[in-house]
Amino acid sequence: MSEKQVLVTGACGEIGQALVQELSKKGGYRIVTSDMMPLPDSIKHLSAEHVQGDLVYKIKTFYDYDFDIIFHLAASLSSKAEIATEEAHRINVEGTMQLLMLAAYRSEKYGKSVKFLFPSSIAAYGMPTLAAKQNAGAVKEEDFDNPHTMYGCNKLYCEKLGIYYSKFFGQKHLDEKPPVMLDFRAIRFPGLISAFTLPSGGTSDYGPEMLHASAQGKSYACFVRADTKISFMAMPDAIKSLLMIMDAPRECLTANVYNVAAFAITAEEFRQRAVMAFADARISFEPNPRRQGIVDSWPEDVDDSRARHDWNWKPDYDVDRFFEEYFLPEIRKRYGK
Ligand code: SER
C-alpha cells in the first residue's frame, strides 16, 4: 500500500514532536512538517520535508502537495494569546481557515476527502463563576461554550469553521450531487503534560512547570491558587487519542468535536505528588490574577463519554499510573534524579 501523505503544522510544539514520533513509529506515512522554527533534533530525521515560516504566508506552498491527512497543531496558547490578542487571532483563526480552505478545495477537486485533525481545548468552555465551575462537575461538549479568552474564542470558532467546511461549504442545493467535503475531527484537550518537553504560553503550564522544576531541584512559584482544579492528561494519551480519532471509521462518529479526559486534580495535589517524589521540592503559591481568572473559567473536569462510545476512547494513564509509570521514571532518567 502506498504511503499516506500527512501534514503536521506546529511540528516543533509539544504535541507536534510527540505526534511526529508516533506517526513515524506507526509507519505508512510520508510526514511533511511546518513550523516557524527549524525542527528540533528529536524529530529532524523523521520529517520528509520541513516548511519553515508563518503558515498564513506559506499556505500557497501547500497547494502543491497531495495531503491525505492534516494535523493542524500550530497555535498561540491561552496566556500568550491574551497578551497579543490580534496576533493570536491571526495565527489561530486565519491559519486554520487557510488550511481548511486548502483541504476543502483538494477534497472537492480530486474527489478524495482530506482528513483534518484539529486540537481544540478546554479553553472553549467558559464557566460563569467559580461556584458554577465547582457545581458543574464534568461538562459535556455542548455545555458552557462561552469562552472567556481570545484563545478559547479562536478554538470554538475554528471548530465551527471546520464543521462549516466539512458540511455546508458551497451550499449545494439538495438536488445537486454533493461534492466530496473534507473530514473534520476535533478533540478538546485538557492540560497536557510531557516528560520530555515543556509548554510555553499556556495557562495549564503550572502543572508541567511545577513537576519539571521539582525534578531539577529548582524552586517553583505556582501562578494559581492551591485549590485550582482542571483536567490533565499524559502526552502519550493525547497522541493516542489523535491517532484513534484519525483511524475511526467516519460512520462511527456522531459528532465532529469530542472531549477527552484522564484525571482532574488540584494544584495542591500536584504539589503533594512533587514533594513525595522529590524530597527537595520547594513549591509556593503566588497566584497571578489574570492567569487565575483564565483557569477559573475552565471546567474542573470534562465528560468524554461521547468519545468512549463512538471510537472506544480510554486513557492509559489515570493519575497514579501517570506519575508512577510515565512521568517519574522518564523524568528521573532525564534529570538524573
Ligand atoms: N494547555 C492550553 C493552554 O493552557 C489549553 O489548551 O493554553
Side-chain angles (χ1 to χ4, degrees), residues 37-68:
M37 308 296 288
L39 289 178
D41 289 343
S42 62
I43 56 168
K44 215 179 228 161
H45 54 297
L46 306 176
S47 165
E49 237 177 291
H50 183 57
V51 177
Q52 191 183 335
D54 191 320
L55 180 66
V56 176
Y57 303 118
K58 289 279 177 193
I59 195 74
K60 281 203 187 99
T61 319
F62 296 125
Y63 274 81
D64 295 336
Y65 291 76
D66 178 16
F67 292 123
D68 299 286

Side-chain angles (χ1 to χ4, degrees), residues 121-122 189-193 204-205 208 230-235 263 298:
S121 164
I122 48 168
F189 281 119
L192 301 180
I193 310 179
S204 58
D205 296 8
I230 57 166
S231 177
F232 282 92
M233 176 176 283
M235 187 58 79
F263 52 90
W298 295 349

Side-chain angles (χ1 to χ4, degrees), residues 76-79 120-123 151 155 189-192 199 201-205 294 298:
S76 169
L77 293 186
S78 57
S79 284
S120 189
S121 164
I122 48 168
Y151 174 76
K155 287 291 185 190
F189 281 119
L192 301 180
T203 320
S204 58
D205 296 8
I294 293 176
W298 295 349

Side-chain angles (χ1 to χ4, degrees), residues 10-42:
C12 299
E14 287 203 285
I15 305 180
Q17 291 187 48
L19 177 67
V20 168
Q21 285 166 345
E22 280 310 304
L23 277 173
S24 130
K25 241 189 250 169
K26 199 167 178 267
Y29 301 99
R30 179 177 191 272
I31 307 170
V32 177
T33 50
S34 100
D35 202 287
M36 295 289 285
M37 308 296 288
L39 289 178
D41 289 343
S42 62

Side-chain angles (χ1 to χ4, degrees), residues 265-336:
I265 62 171
T266 63
E268 170 59 17
E269 287 172 275
F270 268 117
R271 190 193 68 81
Q272 287 169 10
R273 296 270 180 171
V275 169
M276 265 189 318
F278 308 104
D280 53 353
R282 281 160 292 132
I283 297 155
S284 58
F285 290 94
E286 295 173 24
N288 168 308
R290 200 176 48 81
R291 298 181 99 182
Q292 182 70 57
I294 293 176
V295 190
D296 284 346
S297 78
W298 295 349
E300 281 196 353
D301 202 357
V302 295
D303 178 335
D304 62 359
S305 49
R306 183 193 277 171
R308 287 177 185 255
H309 176 268
D310 286 6
W311 40 278
N312 295 322
W313 160 248
K314 193 176 174 300
D316 288 334
Y317 298 99
D318 61 13
V319 68
D320 290 325
R321 289 197 64 197
F322 165 76
F323 279 99
E324 299 310 325
E325 293 173 34
Y326 169 65
F327 191 80
L328 294 177
E330 293 298 346
I331 208 81
R332 285 190 177 116
K333 268 189 254 165
R334 176 168 174 180
Y335 298 124

